[in-house]
Amino acid sequence: MLPFPWPVTSRLSASLPQMYSSDSNSLSNEPSVVADQHKWTIYHSKVNLPAALNDPRLAKRESDFFTKTWGQDFVEVDVLPSPYLPPINKEHFSSYVQQTSLREKNHERWKSICPTKDDYNRTAFSHGSKSRADLDQVPKIFMKPDFALDDSLTFNAVLPWSHFSSAGGKGSRDAASAKLLQEKLSHYLDIVEVNIAHQISLRSEAFFHAMTSQHELQDYLRKTSQAVKMLRDKISQIDRVMCEGSLRILRQALTRNNCIKVYNKLKLMATVHQTQPTVQLLLSTSEYVGALDLIATTQEVLQQELQGIHSFRHLGSQLCELEKLIDKMIIAEFTSYARTDLNRSLEEECQVIEEERLVSLVFGLLKQRKLDFFEIYADEMMATAKNIIKQCVVSTVSQIDEIDAELVTKLADQMRMMNFSQWFNLLQNIFSKFTVFLQRVKATINVIRSVVLMVLDKNQRIRELEVMAAQKGLARESKVDNDLAYLTHEGLFISDSFSEGEHPPAATNTNFQRNASPSSSEPSGSDSVSDPECTTDSSSSKDHTLPSVTPGGVEIIMTEDIKLTDLELGKIANNIQELLYNASDICHDRCVKFLLARAKDSFLERLNSSEFVSLSRSVEMFVQDTEKICGRKSMSLRGALQSQANKFVNRFHDERKTKLSLLLDNERWKQADVPAEFQDLVDSITDGKIILPERKSGCVEERKPSDFLTVDGQKYAVVGTVLILIRIILEYCSCVDDIPSITTDMLTRLSELLKYFNSRSCQLVLGAGALQVVGLKTITTKNLALSSRCLQLIVHYIPVIRAHFEARMQPKQYSMLRQFDHITKDYNDHIAEISAKLVSIMDSLFEKLLSKYEVKAPVPSMCFRNICKQMAKMHEAIYDLLPEEQTQGLFLRINTSCRRHLKSQLSLLNVINDGGPQHGMVAADIAFYTGNVQALKGLKDLDLNMGEIWEQKR
């Protein structure tokens, strides 16, 4: 371990003479650079070199410790060679070798003259061995480094008192021992002095050389001391003239700034101390947002600038409790506002009342993260909707004298005692109230949603401003770096560049001067803050004030710090918009319950068509109004109306089917007169559009009924049941116009009704069911023809009915229109069966008459006379009922049947086309038959083609 060297001052004081020591004392009173300037010296070090070398934390002792940094975290790195030092070779020492060559020659010459080192060592060794032998005589205890006579053991070993007697007297033996001990110690001393003198003699040359150089060293130290004194005098003068005043100014400026900071801090503490009274004052005026903002600012100041102040140690917790109280107050205030706004008179305007108050409450709720406030509004909406219906029912019941509120206490029972007109007026009143209610809710929700969207827009704009500021900051730093690089490259000073180049902006420069050295004209006790550190983080310079305007025209300066994410704000906006949809659903649900309460006694099912149509139109109008207000369809009311409509359709269809069944059961299948109203009903169906004509008052002149129903220029002979059926069909179609939601149900029911008429008429006429049901004696050809013509009238209107339903159905429902195709086919098959029945009647008659036909006089024969008579009856029965072309077709088929039977009978009679008497008689009968048939009305040009009955001549 290397010993720490002596201090320089101690060595100097030991070597200087006494005269210099007095001067040193005088110098100690002079100004000391070290003491005055408080600079660090080696004497301020807390760790000496032995402590550094014996650091126990170092795991491994490094040999070259002067090149390392102390500590365990030191990482050894390779030192790169300096690029400024050139490589050194042998040529660089050539001039030095030339200069020292002469000295080297002299050194060699003196080396040959002087004795060698080995000889000197041998001489010294001989003397050393002798002196070492003498030193061995000295006890080892005197050679110990810790030799000290104050140690009792050492003292007893050097002076063995045991050799002396313990008696107080002095004997001859004790005197001899003491004398002998003294001589021994003297001998040891002589040996040591001889060895010391020998060692001094060996180093006498170096000792005398040091003594001679001591005078030179004293002269050098004297000059050094004088130079240090002169330097200290100059430094003292410089410190007194140039530094003390400037330092005093800086110290006073720093003191002034510290005083301003203390003043501002005390001023801030006084402001914070007034927080609670100010908050209470704001709460008394319902300024919840301002109170919350003041609390937040105060808490921020307490945490950042007033942290650790003992007098404010409880203020933070008090503000937290106050903030919780404000949360409850805001929620209660919002609930009170919602209840007041929703329950005010519905005759007032739909504008938002106290919009500023609503905006303030919403801002407070958002600031406090009370994001479920819309649920409170939803509950109030539900309660208000119930109250609206209750008030409407109570108001209506109180105006009806027939209802005794004392006997009938329940509102539902009182409502069921109303007739349709009273109940319908009540329903329309409820609809109008709910429409105003929804408009009011929409206005309020729009204001709330606009506030949320304003906050969201503010966050986005602040984010954009921060991004722009960051980009500008990066650009400014890049520019400064480029300027610094330029200045470094040119070798200029930065201060010179600022003094010679462009100056900073005026505002910044002025602000900097104000902060660095306040103006003398400004009083020291001014309230202005000149140090930027005195400004708080909650100052208005950090807030982004963004003006916004609500839908009601209320301008808002949003300075409140609402820490909500864009996702949370977007979710709140969607929930608020959904709140408007919920308001529509609530109104519809309450109306549904109102309808169901009235429908318990089948009141709605017993409504007639016009009443139910009025109800349906009113409901549909209310639904459309709510869709315009809320922007979304609510299906509950439509569903309830659809359910009632289905019941209405069933009752509507059952009534008309029962009516048709009764008419068919009483129908005698005779041609009926057509009243003028039914002709007008048919005439109203123009261009394929089905419109029920309005019933004319009885004062209009009555018109006589006609024999036929004229449709598109054609005459139809019909029975009374078909006239009623036409009106029923038009009622179905008109009901679809009034209640579009029942189109498919009406189509199904109408199809069922048409099928029922077809099947039932077939049973009664073709199946002869009318004989038992009505009591007809027989089913005549006129009955059959009339039934056919009625079916043809229905077939004529089926395409019109189909087009009417198709125009009111969705494309995906067009498949249901195929039912009309099946009905048309069934009706046409029925008409064909009736025609076949008429032909079969004549066919059986021809078979009966022609089976008895004989070719004999008289001519024409009685058989053909009867045939012509039956043909005339047939013609008379159907001609006025069926159109001419159908009559001709029917008689062609009858003629074919007659021809077939005649041909068969002539074959049995063996009458051939041979021109004989029989042939002539048959030809005369045929001519009589042909003439009579063609003489019938409308059959003049009928080609009977009777020549096919003859067999060819054999």
Side-chain angles (χ1 to χ4, degrees), residues 254-280:
L254 182 61
T255 302
R256 182 179 183 276
N257 288 334
N258 291 335
C259 292
I260 292 175
K261 291 180 181 179
V262 172
Y263 170 74
N264 290 330
K265 192 72 69 174
L266 292 174
K267 185 178 174 182
L268 183 62
M269 291 175 64
T271 304
V272 171
H273 184 68
Q274 296 296 323
T275 298
Q276 288 180 323
T278 307
V279 169
Q280 293 176 358

Short mmCIF file of all heavy atoms in Angstrom, two decimals, residues 254-280:
data_model
loop_
_atom_site.label_atom_id
_atom_site.label_comp_id
_atom_site.label_asym_id
_atom_site.label_seq_id
_atom_site.Cartn_x
_atom_site.Cartn_y
_atom_site.Cartn_z
N LEU A 254 -31.81 37.85 -7.30
CA LEU A 254 -32.31 36.54 -6.91
C LEU A 254 -33.20 36.64 -5.67
O LEU A 254 -34.24 35.98 -5.57
CB LEU A 254 -31.13 35.60 -6.65
CG LEU A 254 -31.47 34.16 -6.27
CD1 LEU A 254 -32.26 33.49 -7.38
CD2 LEU A 254 -30.20 33.37 -5.96
N THR A 255 -32.78 37.50 -4.74
CA THR A 255 -33.59 37.70 -3.54
C THR A 255 -34.95 38.30 -3.90
O THR A 255 -35.99 37.89 -3.35
CB THR A 255 -32.84 38.62 -2.56
OG1 THR A 255 -31.57 38.02 -2.24
CG2 THR A 255 -33.64 38.81 -1.29
N ARG A 256 -34.93 39.26 -4.84
CA ARG A 256 -36.20 39.87 -5.26
C ARG A 256 -37.12 38.82 -5.92
O ARG A 256 -38.32 38.78 -5.65
CB ARG A 256 -35.93 41.01 -6.23
CG ARG A 256 -37.19 41.73 -6.69
CD ARG A 256 -36.85 42.88 -7.62
NE ARG A 256 -38.04 43.60 -7.99
CZ ARG A 256 -38.87 43.27 -8.97
NH1 ARG A 256 -38.61 42.16 -9.66
NH2 ARG A 256 -39.94 43.99 -9.25
N ASN A 257 -36.54 38.03 -6.79
CA ASN A 257 -37.34 36.97 -7.42
C ASN A 257 -37.89 35.98 -6.40
O ASN A 257 -39.05 35.54 -6.50
CB ASN A 257 -36.51 36.23 -8.47
CG ASN A 257 -36.25 37.06 -9.71
OD1 ASN A 257 -37.02 37.96 -10.02
ND2 ASN A 257 -35.16 36.78 -10.40
N ASN A 258 -37.08 35.67 -5.42
CA ASN A 258 -37.56 34.77 -4.37
C ASN A 258 -38.69 35.42 -3.57
O ASN A 258 -39.67 34.75 -3.20
CB ASN A 258 -36.42 34.37 -3.44
CG ASN A 258 -35.40 33.47 -4.13
OD1 ASN A 258 -35.75 32.78 -5.09
ND2 ASN A 258 -34.17 33.49 -3.66
N CYS A 259 -38.57 36.71 -3.35
CA CYS A 259 -39.65 37.41 -2.63
C CYS A 259 -40.93 37.43 -3.46
O CYS A 259 -42.04 37.25 -2.93
CB CYS A 259 -39.21 38.83 -2.31
SG CYS A 259 -37.87 38.95 -1.09
N ILE A 260 -40.77 37.63 -4.77
CA ILE A 260 -41.96 37.61 -5.65
C ILE A 260 -42.59 36.22 -5.63
O ILE A 260 -43.83 36.08 -5.60
CB ILE A 260 -41.56 38.04 -7.07
CG1 ILE A 260 -41.17 39.51 -7.10
CG2 ILE A 260 -42.70 37.79 -8.05
CD1 ILE A 260 -40.65 39.98 -8.44
N LYS A 261 -41.75 35.20 -5.68
CA LYS A 261 -42.28 33.83 -5.62
C LYS A 261 -43.03 33.60 -4.32
O LYS A 261 -44.12 33.01 -4.30
CB LYS A 261 -41.15 32.81 -5.76
CG LYS A 261 -40.52 32.77 -7.14
CD LYS A 261 -39.42 31.72 -7.19
CE LYS A 261 -38.76 31.69 -8.57
NZ LYS A 261 -37.67 30.68 -8.62
N VAL A 262 -42.43 34.06 -3.21
CA VAL A 262 -43.09 33.88 -1.92
C VAL A 262 -44.40 34.65 -1.89
O VAL A 262 -45.44 34.15 -1.41
CB VAL A 262 -42.15 34.32 -0.78
CG1 VAL A 262 -42.89 34.33 0.55
CG2 VAL A 262 -40.94 33.40 -0.71
N TYR A 263 -44.37 35.88 -2.45
CA TYR A 263 -45.60 36.67 -2.48
C TYR A 263 -46.68 35.99 -3.32
O TYR A 263 -47.85 35.90 -2.90
CB TYR A 263 -45.28 38.05 -3.05
CG TYR A 263 -46.52 38.87 -3.34
CD1 TYR A 263 -47.27 39.44 -2.31
CD2 TYR A 263 -46.95 39.06 -4.66
CE1 TYR A 263 -48.40 40.18 -2.59
CE2 TYR A 263 -48.07 39.79 -4.94
CZ TYR A 263 -48.80 40.36 -3.90
OH TYR A 263 -49.93 41.08 -4.17
N ASN A 264 -46.28 35.50 -4.49
CA ASN A 264 -47.26 34.81 -5.34
C ASN A 264 -47.76 33.52 -4.69
O ASN A 264 -48.93 33.15 -4.84
CB ASN A 264 -46.64 34.51 -6.71
CG ASN A 264 -46.43 35.75 -7.54
OD1 ASN A 264 -47.16 36.73 -7.41
ND2 ASN A 264 -45.40 35.75 -8.38
N LYS A 265 -46.84 32.85 -4.00
CA LYS A 265 -47.26 31.63 -3.31
C LYS A 265 -48.27 31.95 -2.21
O LYS A 265 -49.29 31.25 -2.06
CB LYS A 265 -46.04 30.92 -2.73
CG LYS A 265 -46.31 29.52 -2.25
CD LYS A 265 -46.52 28.58 -3.43
CE LYS A 265 -45.23 28.36 -4.19
NZ LYS A 265 -45.38 27.34 -5.24
N LEU A 266 -48.00 33.03 -1.45
CA LEU A 266 -48.95 33.44 -0.42
C LEU A 266 -50.27 33.90 -1.04
O LEU A 266 -51.36 33.63 -0.52
CB LEU A 266 -48.34 34.57 0.41
CG LEU A 266 -47.14 34.20 1.29
CD1 LEU A 266 -46.56 35.43 1.94
CD2 LEU A 266 -47.55 33.17 2.34
N LYS A 267 -50.15 34.58 -2.17
CA LYS A 267 -51.36 35.02 -2.88
C LYS A 267 -52.16 33.82 -3.37
O LYS A 267 -53.40 33.78 -3.27
CB LYS A 267 -50.93 35.91 -4.05
CG LYS A 267 -52.06 36.54 -4.81
CD LYS A 267 -51.46 37.43 -5.91
CE LYS A 267 -52.56 37.98 -6.78
NZ LYS A 267 -51.99 38.81 -7.88
N LEU A 268 -51.44 32.79 -3.89
CA LEU A 268 -52.10 31.57 -4.31
C LEU A 268 -52.74 30.85 -3.13
O LEU A 268 -53.86 30.32 -3.23
CB LEU A 268 -51.09 30.66 -5.02
CG LEU A 268 -51.62 29.34 -5.60
CD1 LEU A 268 -52.66 29.63 -6.68
CD2 LEU A 268 -50.47 28.53 -6.19
N MET A 269 -52.04 30.82 -2.00
CA MET A 269 -52.60 30.20 -0.80
C MET A 269 -53.87 30.92 -0.35
O MET A 269 -54.86 30.28 0.06
CB MET A 269 -51.56 30.19 0.31
CG MET A 269 -50.38 29.25 0.06
SD MET A 269 -49.11 29.39 1.32
CE MET A 269 -50.00 28.83 2.76
N ALA A 270 -53.86 32.25 -0.45
CA ALA A 270 -55.05 33.00 -0.08
C ALA A 270 -56.22 32.69 -1.01
O ALA A 270 -57.38 32.56 -0.59
CB ALA A 270 -54.74 34.50 -0.11
N THR A 271 -55.88 32.53 -2.31
CA THR A 271 -56.94 32.17 -3.28
C THR A 271 -57.49 30.78 -2.98
O THR A 271 -58.71 30.56 -3.01
CB THR A 271 -56.37 32.23 -4.70
OG1 THR A 271 -55.83 33.52 -4.95
CG2 THR A 271 -57.47 31.93 -5.72
N VAL A 272 -56.60 29.84 -2.70
CA VAL A 272 -57.03 28.47 -2.39
C VAL A 272 -57.85 28.46 -1.10
O VAL A 272 -58.81 27.69 -0.96
CB VAL A 272 -55.81 27.54 -2.29
CG1 VAL A 272 -56.20 26.18 -1.74
CG2 VAL A 272 -55.15 27.39 -3.65
N HIS A 273 -57.48 29.34 -0.20
CA HIS A 273 -58.22 29.40 1.07
C HIS A 273 -59.67 29.83 0.86
O HIS A 273 -60.55 29.47 1.66
CB HIS A 273 -57.51 30.38 2.02
CG HIS A 273 -58.12 30.45 3.38
ND1 HIS A 273 -58.08 29.39 4.28
CD2 HIS A 273 -58.81 31.45 4.01
CE1 HIS A 273 -58.72 29.73 5.39
NE2 HIS A 273 -59.17 30.97 5.25
N GLN A 274 -59.91 30.57 -0.22
CA GLN A 274 -61.27 31.02 -0.52
C GLN A 274 -62.04 30.03 -1.40
O GLN A 274 -63.13 30.37 -1.89
CB GLN A 274 -61.20 32.38 -1.24
CG GLN A 274 -60.62 33.50 -0.40
CD GLN A 274 -61.48 33.79 0.82
OE1 GLN A 274 -62.71 33.74 0.74
NE2 GLN A 274 -60.83 34.12 1.94
N THR A 275 -61.49 28.82 -1.62
CA THR A 275 -62.14 27.86 -2.52
C THR A 275 -63.49 27.42 -1.98
O THR A 275 -64.50 27.44 -2.70
CB THR A 275 -61.22 26.64 -2.71
OG1 THR A 275 -60.00 27.06 -3.32
CG2 THR A 275 -61.90 25.61 -3.61
N GLN A 276 -63.53 27.01 -0.73
CA GLN A 276 -64.78 26.48 -0.18
C GLN A 276 -65.90 27.53 -0.15
O GLN A 276 -67.02 27.23 -0.59
CB GLN A 276 -64.53 25.92 1.22
CG GLN A 276 -63.74 24.61 1.21
CD GLN A 276 -63.51 24.06 2.60
OE1 GLN A 276 -63.30 24.82 3.54
NE2 GLN A 276 -63.53 22.75 2.73
N PRO A 277 -65.66 28.77 0.30
CA PRO A 277 -66.76 29.76 0.20
C PRO A 277 -67.19 30.03 -1.23
O PRO A 277 -68.39 30.19 -1.50
CB PRO A 277 -66.15 31.01 0.84
CG PRO A 277 -65.06 30.51 1.73
CD PRO A 277 -64.51 29.30 1.05
N THR A 278 -66.22 30.03 -2.16
CA THR A 278 -66.57 30.26 -3.57
C THR A 278 -67.40 29.11 -4.12
O THR A 278 -68.38 29.31 -4.86
CB THR A 278 -65.31 30.45 -4.40
OG1 THR A 278 -64.49 31.48 -3.83
CG2 THR A 278 -65.65 30.83 -5.83
N VAL A 279 -67.04 27.88 -3.77
CA VAL A 279 -67.80 26.71 -4.22
C VAL A 279 -69.23 26.77 -3.68
O VAL A 279 -70.20 26.49 -4.40
CB VAL A 279 -67.10 25.41 -3.79
CG1 VAL A 279 -68.00 24.20 -4.01
CG2 VAL A 279 -65.81 25.23 -4.58
N GLN A 280 -69.37 27.12 -2.43
CA GLN A 280 -70.71 27.23 -1.85
C GLN A 280 -71.53 28.31 -2.53
O GLN A 280 -72.73 28.15 -2.77
CB GLN A 280 -70.59 27.51 -0.36
CG GLN A 280 -69.99 26.35 0.44
CD GLN A 280 -69.80 26.69 1.90
OE1 GLN A 280 -70.09 27.80 2.33
NE2 GLN A 280 -69.30 25.72 2.68
#
